[in-house]
Amino acid sequence: MTIEVKKCTLADLHLLQELSYETFNDTFKHQNSPDNMQAYLERAFNLNQLEKELSNRFSQFFFIFLNQELAGYLKVNTNGAQTEEMGEESLEIERIYIKNTFQKYGLGRYMLNKAKEIAIEHQLERIWLGVWDKNENAIAFYKKMGFVQAGAHSFYMGDEEQTDFIMIHTLL
C-alpha cells in the first residue's frame, strides 16, 4: 500500500472541484434535502470560489493518493483564512474528505497527521476544526485523535441552519 500526498495548485482546480463535489455529496446527501445540498455545492465548490481559496496564501490544499489513485483531500487554514477567529497560533482543518471507496485505510489519520506536521512546522499551538453535530463517526474519530469539544457554531446547508461542534487539539 503506497500513500502519497501532493500539494494542490491552480492547475488542479477542476480535479479539486470534482473531488469536492463527490466527497461532500457522498458524505452528506443522505441527511440533507437535495435542494440544500445543491445550493451548498454550488456556493462552496464553484470554480471561482475554489480558485480564490487556492490562491489564498493562508490556505493550503493537499490531495492524498492510495496506490496512485486519488483518494481524498485536505484543506488547512491559518491566520485570516480561518473560518472563525481562533488566533494566529491556530491551524484550522476546514476540510478533510476521503472517497467512500478509500475509507478504512487510515487515510483520514494520515491527513490529520499532515495537518499536525504543518502546525508544528509553523510553531502553532493548536489545531481546530468544525464537525457537524450529527456526524457521529467523524466526532468519534476526532476524539480518538485527541480532539476535544470546545464550543459550537452555526453552519448553513442551503437555507438550513445546522450546528458544528468546534473541536480543538492542543499541540504545545
Side-chain angles (χ1 to χ4, degrees):
M1 185 168 83
T2 305
I3 297 173
E4 179 186 356
V5 174
K6 175 189 167 251
K7 188 172 182 180
C8 298
T9 68
L10 285 173
D12 299 312
L13 182 62
H14 290 275
L15 185 56
L16 177 62
Q17 181 187 44
E18 182 181 313
L19 182 59
S20 297
Y21 270 101
E22 177 185 346
T23 55
F24 194 89
N25 194 51
D26 286 350
T27 303
F28 298 112
K29 70 181 174 189
H30 304 298
Q31 296 171 291
N32 292 281
S33 75
D35 288 344
N36 283 339
M37 283 295 296
Q38 191 62 35
Y40 182 81
L41 291 170
E42 288 174 4
R43 180 177 58 82
F45 303 126
N46 69 71
L47 290 175
N48 289 337
Q49 179 62 32
L50 288 174
E51 183 176 357
K52 181 179 163 187
E53 292 176 22
L54 274 166
S55 299
N56 186 326
R57 66 187 183 109
F58 296 120
S59 294
Q60 296 180 74
F61 287 83
F62 299 89
F63 286 145
I64 187 165
F65 297 85
L66 179 64
N67 298 329
Q68 301 176 343
E69 288 187 66
L70 182 58
Y73 77 104
L74 167 73
K75 179 186 181 198
V76 296
N77 300 316
T78 57
N79 298 312
Q82 296 178 82
T83 59
E84 293 282 336
E85 286 287 328
M86 298 297 278
E88 292 184 7
E89 64 283 340
S90 298
L91 177 133
E92 175 189 18
I93 297 174
E94 184 178 356
R95 299 182 195 133
I96 183 168
Y97 288 103
I98 305 297
K99 290 182 179 184
N100 285 346
T101 55
F102 291 96
Q103 292 186 4
K104 308 297 181 200
Y105 288 98
L107 301 179
R109 178 185 308 269
Y110 198 93
M111 295 305 269
L112 266 178
N113 286 333
K114 175 68 176 172
K116 283 183 186 179
E117 286 175 23
I118 294 166
I120 290 167
E121 177 182 310
H122 290 90
Q123 300 177 335
L124 301 175
E125 295 176 11
R126 72 186 69 83
I127 299 173
W128 73 276
L129 52 82
V131 58
W132 190 24
D133 65 352
K134 292 182 175 37
N135 193 344
E136 295 173 5
N137 288 341
I139 293 166
F141 170 70
Y142 295 131
K143 285 182 178 178
K144 183 177 177 181
M145 295 300 292
F147 285 77
V148 295
Q149 185 181 340
H153 66 189
S154 293
F155 175 87
Y156 284 88
M157 178 68 70
D159 63 4
E160 181 184 344
E161 182 177 11
Q162 300 179 352
T163 301
D164 274 3
F165 291 147
I166 303 272
M167 299 187 78
I168 295 177
H169 178 73
T170 302
L171 298 170
L172 301 176

